[in-house]
Amino acid sequence: MSVLVLPLLVPLSTAVLCLVVAQPRVQRTLGLLGALALLASALALLLEVHRRGIQAVQIGNWPAPFGITFVADHLSALMVFASSVVALAVALYALAEPDPPRERLGYHPLSYFLLFGVNGAFLTGDIFNMYVWFEVLLLSSFVLMVLGNGRAQLAGGVKYFAVSLFSSVLFLVAVGLLYGSTGALNLADLATRVGELPLGLQNALAMLFLTAFGLKAAVFPFFFWLPASYPAPPVAISALFAGLLTKVGVYALLRVFTLLFTQDPAFTHGVILWVAGLTLLLGVLLALAQGELRRLLSFQLVSHIGYMLMGLGLLTPLALAGSVFYALNHMLVISALFLLAGLLDRLQGTSVLVRMGGLYRSHPGLALLFLLPAFSLAGLPPFSGFWAKFTLAAAGLEAGAYAIVGVALLVGLLTLLSMAMVFAEVFWKASPEGRSVPEGWGRLAVPVVLLAVLTLGIGLWAEPLMALSQQAARELLEPTPYIQAVLGVSR
Amino acid sequence: MEVLLAFLVGGLAAVGVYLMLRPHLIQFLVGFLVLGNAANLLIFTAGRLGSQFPPLVQRDGGLLEPIANPLPQALILTAIVIGFGLAAFGIVLFYRAEQGLGTLSAEAMPEVFEPAPAPSPVDQVEAPRSEKERVPA
């Protein structure tokens, strides 16, 4: 049994166990154990991939282009690893802030089914199976989104559901047309065949995939649904969504636009670059206009997806490494900020900025804790976000794409402004109603501290993760080893 | 045959998109079902049509040529099952939305934004019943 299937089996068995026991207290412990086991298996997979190269498994022993293929290269392994870190942080948060009604409705099993789907999408080597994994994670996320039937949750859930349905149909149509024109579904097999299609057909297919995945990744002009829905569910759910779901879309874009559609980068990757720039700018400008913390963070989440697309659009080794590094860094940072938003909400009884305040006086430690992920998001040294932005900017200058680099740097500055505004509103300003602030937030801060220390640690010691990201970028740009690992050396 | 089906797929897609753009959520759901069928027919057509034999092994162990391609049907079957699940969830979601928000019109749907404190209250209609179901005493 290969370690490749462990990141799938662990969440699946955790989910099933949680379904069986049904007592919230036992489920919470199980959830934490499952997250730890997932982290261990993701680490094992990463080590295996790093030591022995790209791993491929054919489930059921059907030979490669026909069977169910799972592949792990550096990109997949890194994404699985980062998602398991997010899962651990969220499990710690769920342990610290129990929500028994939602837990009885199935919060724990659903979140592990979600992780099952996410890891499946990261590891699959077949475009139709990717569609199925997307549905696994989407169905879990639909139920999580409206779990408990709060009014805001229902209103957000309807929008999220509607947009996801449409993007699923688009994805299915794109897969159907791709199959009809190449006769293949296995990604490695497709990589050898897509190049033979007429260029116009390739570009049409590429745009269909860009739309389908762009809807999932929440990029311009398809991001409107995200800030309408992500702030609605409780933080233990929205932090998981913010960390994982859009990154699955980004992963799919990275995979498809390096393995399949690379014949006409002037067009396809040019479009991606425009999308990246507009996502960056509009996201951050709309974030500046928000008066509620989780909604503001949702727009920041949208804006920073643009950075990952910028690396893909530039399509140089350094730029792709920057994209991968940015995605990993962003998963940790944005989850930390969402969890922190929940903590602040708990302390202040609201997350509307004008009604918050006075926390610097009562909780100076918390103010410092907020600054770590906030500065990392804005890209200040010595945090992981700095190296991510630095790599992308360097790659952009190297490629002569000055406009997008200018936009990227401007957006970094505006992000800093937006985070400083949050700091001023929540921490510096005197508390508007003179309320006393409850104590006992220590346990809730544990996952945030974990993620904040990680972003600081990666920032101070960026070399290992950067080396891994560069290796991932090399594999993306040179797909022959990937194809050989899946189809065998003989072909 | 392909041309006929291509027009059918195009017509269904147009109907589906039109219905999905209507404000009423039930129309949206019907639109999704129609559009889903258009996608399924598209995969079916893309798998090549013609008068072929089903891919079944005969008594003598051989196959009757030309063999029909079974893969599109497997794909469509998967897609139908997923679409069925999504539609079932959608009906329940819209039913609950109508109860909770008092409307099924996407345009009249309030821009509800009441970020409740972290474990926000659970709607009391559903919770007690499922509590009884889920937790054996």
Side-chain angles (χ1 to χ4, degrees):
Chain A
M1 185 59 79
S2 162
V3 287
L4 212 164
V5 291
L6 280 181
L8 300 174
L9 287 183
V10 170
L12 179 63
S13 38
T14 311
V16 171
L17 274 177
C18 284
L19 272 180
V20 173
V21 294
Q23 261 95 6
R25 195 188 291 173
V26 188
Q27 282 186 335
R28 252 169 259 150
T29 321
L30 265 178
L32 186 63
L33 289 178
L36 286 171
L38 184 59
L39 190 65
S41 64
L43 196 62
L45 176 64
L46 187 58
L47 283 175
E48 179 86 358
V49 169
H50 193 57
R51 221 178 279 145
R52 298 219 241 133
I54 299 171
Q55 300 288 310
V57 173
Q58 317 294 338
I59 304 291
N61 272 337
W62 288 86
F66 309 112
I68 294 173
T69 308
F70 285 106
V71 200
D73 59 356
H74 273 81
L75 175 63
S76 302
L78 281 170
M79 295 300 269
V80 168
F81 182 67
S83 68
S84 63
V85 174
V86 173
L88 178 64
V90 172
L92 281 170
Y93 192 90
L95 199 66
E97 185 172 63
D99 186 1
R102 280 195 181 74
E103 287 176 315
R104 274 189 216 102
L105 292 170
Y107 166 73
H108 293 284
L110 282 167
S111 56
Y112 278 88
F113 277 123
L114 179 76
L115 279 166
F116 180 51
V118 167
N119 285 348
F122 286 152
L123 290 172
T124 184
D126 182 295
I127 193 83
F128 189 76
N129 283 352
M130 192 188 270
Y131 166 75
V132 177
W133 287 116
F134 265 79
E135 296 308 316
V136 171
L137 74 90
L138 277 180
L139 267 172
S140 324
S141 72
F142 292 154
V143 184
L144 278 173
M145 175 66 80
V146 295
L147 200 65
N149 292 315
R151 267 167 56 84
Q153 278 178 284
L154 284 170
V158 166
K159 290 164 197 148
Y160 177 60
F161 177 71
V163 170
S164 301
L165 278 196
F166 188 66
S167 85
S168 288
V169 175
L170 275 185
F171 188 5
L172 188 61
V173 166
V175 170
L177 289 174
L178 192 63
Y179 172 70
S181 50
T182 60
L185 287 170
N186 188 298
L187 280 170
D189 199 17
L190 277 169
T192 60
R193 292 176 189 228
V194 168
E196 295 160 13
L197 295 176
L199 207 55
L201 185 55
Q202 277 187 42
N203 285 343
L205 285 171
M207 289 304 107
L208 259 181
F209 277 109
L210 181 63
T211 315
F213 294 145
L215 272 161
K216 300 245 168 15
V219 298
F220 176 85
F222 310 121
F223 60 73
F224 46 84
W225 59 271
L226 191 145
S229 59
Y230 273 28
V235 153
I237 294 171
S238 55
L240 200 61
F241 284 11
L244 301 180
L245 294 191
T246 50
K247 307 309 176 299
V248 181
V250 170
Y251 165 83
L253 284 172
L254 279 173
R255 180 65 75 204
V256 165
F257 279 91
T258 54
L259 196 58
L260 305 186
F261 303 111
T262 49
Q263 304 289 316
D264 188 12
F267 173 70
T268 50
H269 293 72
V271 170
I272 291 178
L273 218 50
W274 272 99
V275 167
L278 289 167
T279 309
L280 279 167
L281 265 181
L282 274 172
V284 82
L285 289 178
L286 287 165
L288 280 170
Q290 299 308 313
E292 198 272 333
L293 187 54
R294 274 186 256 170
R295 215 168 146 80
L296 184 150
L297 289 176
S298 300
F299 277 107
Q300 286 291 358
L301 168 62
V302 166
S303 170
H304 287 235
I305 299 289
Y307 282 113
M308 297 159 221
L309 290 198
M310 170 186 164
L312 178 61
L314 293 169
L315 204 67
T316 65
L318 192 61
L320 275 176
S323 266
V324 175
F325 193 96
Y326 205 101
L328 302 171
N329 147 63
H330 192 65
M331 283 164 96
L332 308 182
V333 170
I334 202 77
S335 310
L337 283 170
F338 264 86
L339 290 175
L340 203 56
L343 171 54
L344 295 174
D345 194 332
R346 178 67 169 279
L347 287 176
Q348 305 248 299
T350 176
S351 56
V352 179
L353 291 176
V354 286
R355 279 192 254 143
M356 301 171 90
L359 273 182
Y360 188 67
R361 187 181 291 263
S362 56
H363 297 73
L366 192 59
L368 184 68
L369 185 59
F370 170 78
L371 285 182
L372 298 183
F375 279 173
S376 186
L377 188 73
L380 292 190
F383 300 100
S384 57
F386 168 70
W387 296 108
K389 284 200 180 59
F390 178 77
T391 315
L392 283 172
L397 291 178
E398 209 176 79
Y402 301 112
I404 189 80
V405 174
V407 169
L409 295 179
L410 175 68
V411 169
L413 208 60
L414 291 175
T415 305
L416 184 62
L417 176 64
S418 147
M419 287 295 119
M421 277 165 59
V422 172
F423 188 79
E425 288 282 336
V426 178
F427 293 99
W428 265 354
K429 189 181 69 182
S431 182
E433 287 147 42
R435 268 176 287 110
S436 67
V437 179
E439 283 301 320
W441 52 280
R443 273 154 56 92
L444 284 176
V446 172
V448 187
V449 171
L450 170 79
L451 293 172
V453 166
L454 264 177
T455 176
L456 182 62
I458 295 171
L460 291 175
W461 194 39
E463 177 59 27
L465 193 62
M466 188 51 85
L468 286 172
S469 305
Q470 280 175 337
Q471 180 64 28
R474 269 197 294 279
E475 285 169 1
L476 287 177
L477 281 173
E478 180 40 68
T480 319
Y482 182 94
I483 296 167
Q484 279 181 350
V486 175
L487 296 180
V489 191
S490 57
R491 286 176 62 117
Chain B
M1 193 63 185
E2 269 97 350
V3 177
L4 210 65
L5 272 171
F7 275 105
L8 182 60
V9 168
L12 283 177
V15 170
V17 169
Y18 174 77
L19 282 175
M20 284 177 104
L21 290 172
R22 303 289 302 160
H24 200 271
L25 288 180
I26 298 300
Q27 282 174 317
F28 172 87
L29 203 64
V30 174
F32 164 69
L33 291 173
V34 174
L35 193 65
N37 281 332
N40 291 340
L41 276 177
L42 182 140
I43 299 176
F44 184 61
T45 317
R48 307 292 183 273
L49 301 170
S51 63
Q52 293 145 333
F53 293 102
L56 296 174
V57 180
Q58 302 298 302
R59 288 226 170 138
D60 58 5
L63 287 161
L64 290 175
E65 298 279 340
I67 311 164
N69 183 0
L71 190 64
Q73 293 161 35
L75 301 186
I76 294 168
L77 198 60
T78 314
I80 288 176
V81 173
I82 290 173
F84 181 73
L86 289 173
F89 177 79
I91 291 168
V92 178
L93 173 67
F94 293 161
Y95 174 66
R96 299 294 317 204
E98 203 271 335
Q99 282 191 325
L101 306 169
T103 176
L104 266 177
S105 162
E107 280 168 5
M109 192 157 280
E111 185 72 23
V112 184
F113 209 74
E114 41 195 40
S120 60
V122 166
D123 182 353
Q124 288 305 310
V125 190
E126 188 64 71
R129 199 196 314 148
S130 47
E131 213 170 306
K132 231 177 282 169
E133 282 166 9
R134 293 290 303 276
V135 187

